[in-house]
Amino acid sequence: MSTLNNAFADRPISLTAPSGIDRAAHHRLDEAWLAAAWSHPTTRVFVVSGGQVLIDDRPDGSTELVMTPAFEAPLTETHRYFLGTDAEGVSYFALQKDSLPGRMDQSARPAGLREAGLLLSPRDAGLMVHAVALENWQRLHRFCSRCGERTVIAAAGHVRRCQACGAEHYPRTDPAVIMAVTDAHDRILLGRQVHWPEGRFSTLAGFVEPGESIEQSVVREVFEEAGVTVGEVEYVGSQPWPFPSSLMLGFFARATSSEITVDGEEIEEARWFSREELAAGFDSGEVLPPYGISIASRLIELWYGKPLPKPGDLA
């Protein structure tokens, strides 16, 4: 069934390239080791706040995550998250703060993951994804879901523990399917959500429901959102998506019907595109591609056969 273009199959999905960071989960409960790592002169720390970090555009054209030695990091009481170590033994921590620190040299700027994820190295992007996901979870899960009492941070930011009833709460990840649906003529089905700008089209997506396999979720979501029935489903790859806590599971799916009936609630418009029609839409500006960081872009590219245009390339 696969319409995957081999020339692009080996290029990694955004935010999934090997980061070179060992999460070293066995150290998270070792307070003595964590204290020693924090005080080590090679340790590097960055601040995360509201899903943003500071990044720095370097003279050589690269972009870096702004990190400092631990002794220069802002003070914090408990919101210190151990992210792992690299091959040289350098430890990395993130600090959750209410705001990002200022920079004396004014060379850094705040950025969210949708922007920074496309600019940073695999190491820095991987660290940022980890930190943003933890921050999102920490902000939303301050109270025990069992007894309602306030919880405290444990395991270097990877557990919240209730001191009243003893319950432990772990970061949640919600599985979501995202699929490039093609028909018998090898056209791709793209939709536009009701809150998107005019012309923005992307692949269909939705959350996996309780008691449902991911393949069943693909079939259900496509029918619910576009009224199209799906037969064969083929897994392509996954992508962390901490907005706030999803794991996107990417698929190709083959439609067994072609008539479109949108749900009108999530999807306002859906269309079948041939490669020629999609290229013409990009050229005219009638069609805007999905954000480049999303796995949706890679799924469409794998069918399209070449990279999608960037915003600055569009008419």
Side-chain angles (χ1 to χ4, degrees):
M1 180 202 72
S2 178
T3 57
L4 192 149
N5 187 300
N6 289 331
F8 295 89
D10 294 333
R11 189 154 63 85
I13 297 165
S14 296
L15 308 181
T16 64
S19 67
I21 299 295
D22 178 357
R23 293 196 173 199
H26 57 289
H27 289 313
R28 292 174 186 168
L29 295 174
D30 188 339
E31 295 297 335
W33 187 94
L34 291 170
W38 177 258
S39 63
H40 198 279
T42 64
T43 291
R44 289 296 176 263
V45 181
F46 63 95
V47 174
V48 58
S49 180
Q52 292 193 317
V53 299
L54 288 178
I55 61 174
D56 200 353
D57 299 315
R58 309 299 298 166
D60 62 4
S62 65
T63 300
E64 296 180 348
L65 187 60
V66 174
M67 292 188 276
T68 66
F71 63 83
E72 293 181 3
L75 295 177
T76 185
E77 292 183 1
T78 57
H79 289 77
R80 185 172 75 187
Y81 310 142
F82 171 61
L83 304 178
T85 62
D86 64 18
E88 284 71 44
V90 175
S91 298
Y92 296 89
F93 289 81
L95 299 180
Q96 177 183 322
K97 302 290 286 184
D98 291 334
S99 61
L100 295 174
R103 289 273 290 182
M104 295 299 292
D105 56 17
Q106 299 297 312
S107 66
R109 59 188 175 88
L113 191 55
R114 283 184 171 89
E115 177 190 4
L118 293 172
L119 302 174
L120 296 173
S121 68
R123 184 203 68 176
D124 287 3
L127 290 169
M128 184 178 178
V129 169
H130 192 174
V132 168
L134 284 177
E135 185 209 17
N136 284 332
W137 173 70
Q138 292 282 357
R139 289 185 184 277
L140 296 175
H141 295 81
R142 295 177 178 176
F143 296 91
C144 180
S145 59
R146 179 184 294 176
C147 71
E149 292 295 322
R150 183 176 288 274
T151 56
V152 297
I153 295 174
H158 295 76
V159 173
R160 290 194 73 96
R161 185 172 293 134
C162 180
Q163 294 179 313
C165 71
E168 290 190 343
H169 305 280
Y170 296 84
R172 63 178 291 174
T173 298
D174 301 318
V177 293
I178 183 166
M179 41 276 175
V181 180
T182 56
D183 68 0
H185 303 289
D186 205 23
R187 298 179 300 173
I188 194 168
L189 177 64
L190 301 179
R192 185 172 68 83
Q193 293 189 17
V194 294
H195 61 276
W196 286 355
E198 191 70 28
R200 173 83 65 199
F201 282 87
S202 186
T203 52
L204 303 182
F207 288 103
V208 179
E209 293 188 347
E212 183 178 55
S213 72
I214 52 178
E215 293 83 4
Q216 290 169 335
S217 183
V218 170
V219 174
R220 176 184 54 77
E221 284 288 347
V222 174
F223 186 75
E224 287 180 356
E225 294 187 348
V228 172
T229 57
V230 163
E232 190 176 357
V233 174
E234 179 183 357
Y235 175 73
V236 177
S238 64
Q239 179 188 44
W241 195 248
F243 300 108
S245 57
S246 299
L247 176 67
M248 304 301 293
L249 306 167
F251 294 87
F252 279 126
R254 180 69 78 190
T256 57
S257 68
S258 59
E259 184 175 349
I260 295 173
T261 305
V262 296
D263 63 7
E265 296 181 1
E266 293 185 57
I267 302 298
E268 186 171 47
E269 180 183 6
R271 294 166 53 184
W272 291 105
F273 290 90
S274 67
R275 291 175 179 80
E276 294 73 23
E277 289 169 338
L278 192 59
F282 290 150
D283 289 342
S284 68
E286 177 188 355
V287 177
L288 303 176
Y291 296 105
I293 194 174
S294 170
I295 189 176
S297 293
R298 289 290 291 122
L299 291 172
I300 298 172
E301 284 178 352
L302 289 170
W303 164 85
Y304 191 50
K306 58 184 177 180
L308 302 185
K310 297 179 175 61
D313 300 334
L314 299 175

